[in-house]
Amino acid sequence: MKNSIIMKIGLVCPASLPATQFGGILFLALDIARETAKLSHDVVIYTTDLDFANNATTFNKKLPREESIEDFTIKRSHTWLRYSLFFINPGIYFQLLGDSPDIIHTIGIRSFQSFIAALVSKQKKIPLVIADQGGLTTHPELKSGSLLKNFFIKLQSPFIRFIINQSTKIIVANEYEKKIFLEFTSPSKIEIVRNGINLDILNNKTKNFKKKYELNTPYILFVGRFSYIKGIDILLKAIKILKDDNKLPNIKLVIMGVDFGYQKQMYKIINEFDLENHILIIKNPSREDVLGGYAESEFLVLPSRWELSPLTPLEGFAFKKSVISTNTHGIPSTIKNDYHGILVESENSKQLAKCILELLNNKEKLISFGLAGHKMIIDECNSVKMASNTLNIYEKILSKH
């Protein structure tokens, strides 16, 4: 990456280390911080004290308020109130106001943290870059919640418009997300930067994953939140179809993740379908175990009902693993059907079962898909490329500021 000016960069995110199980946007913020700090930029992540010991509601006052990691800094402030994944940590306002970065980049727009970032940006005339990654208007949970949740979502609307209007640039992951933001702003304000993953994950995996979990057979892998949106029930129905047709070979399904409200239902379905002997569930896995799971799997199965720009397939591609997913929302922008993997119709368990069997029986196709995905990671979807493109946006903004 070229580096022409040294910047004081403030990255804002609802969660950061050690809460790795929070998922996507946490890793994007970390990777941007890591790669830009390598170029001598002064980078700080402003976040909450989410710990995620066993759930998404553990906030730990004992975490350091300020912590240096590699070449960047994490500044935490305590969360005093939360509703669902909306965390209120007032201290972030004073941290940002006092530090006065050259540029603020907030990730996850439906958050208290992004509102504070926009507020400080306006007060101190600091350029603001925003990214969402959460399906601003398309996420299914925005339309299927309780009356209280629906009221809360409507309450957020003026704050979201304030954040978007205050922003200098909006970074989106693909054309699908760009169309979402065109409902709120002009095309000139939007820049596409493809999500990327850190290839160092190849060196940080748990070794002998199968041995650790006493797996004596090959396995296919699901990694993700235990949530209805992730389509776990669709996957379990597909496994039942294979079992009932006596087409389930000597193979297991490994499910790795954290409960986001669906764990009890997941276990209920497994029991009803009599799948206990075919499935291994690993709850609250360490990051090393997730990576080890990728490395030793046959392929990934991710039948989500909704994704914007998923990182899990990219991580699988880093390990040259193919993916079966769905052809819905932003997923086709990440996975090219019949090239990186197979995309099935959402909700179609029969088609999913057929495609699982197809990949299990076609090693040539399995290897070809994995290699194509790996090439995409090397060429385009890596953290170095993502950070370089993001830095270019920062520099253009500051050159005009």
Side-chain angles (χ1 to χ4, degrees), residues 266-282:
M266 176 179 72
Y267 275 109
K268 182 181 178 183
I269 295 171
I270 290 169
N271 291 332
E272 286 179 358
F273 290 172
D274 193 24
L275 296 175
E276 294 92 340
N277 294 330
H278 301 281
I279 295 174
L280 171 66
I281 296 175
I282 303 174

Side-chain angles (χ1 to χ4, degrees), residues 124-184:
K124 303 209 76 174
K125 296 182 172 55
I126 299 171
L128 177 68
V129 175
I130 66 173
D132 187 45
Q133 301 283 335
L136 192 59
T137 58
T138 64
H139 197 289
E141 289 184 357
L142 297 174
K143 301 170 185 176
S144 61
S146 64
L147 286 175
L148 178 60
K149 191 163 189 177
N150 289 336
F151 173 74
F152 182 72
I153 289 167
K154 287 183 179 180
L155 198 64
Q156 286 181 309
S157 295
F159 295 96
I160 289 170
R161 290 194 176 274
F162 168 69
I163 293 165
I164 292 172
N165 291 338
Q166 180 58 30
S167 67
T168 311
K169 280 289 180 183
I170 301 169
I171 292 178
V172 298
N174 49 43
E175 288 287 345
Y176 171 78
E177 190 178 20
K178 182 177 180 178
K179 289 177 182 177
I180 295 172
F181 274 98
L182 286 175
E183 298 175 20
F184 296 89

Side-chain angles (χ1 to χ4, degrees), residues 344-372:
V344 301
E345 297 290 332
S346 181
E347 308 284 348
N348 195 331
S349 296
K350 289 183 179 179
Q351 186 186 12
L352 180 59
K354 180 182 176 182
C355 291
I356 289 172
L357 199 60
E358 179 185 347
L359 280 192
L360 287 173
N361 293 329
N362 193 332
K363 295 295 181 184
E364 185 178 340
K365 183 174 281 191
L366 194 62
I367 292 169
S368 173
F369 288 165
L371 290 174

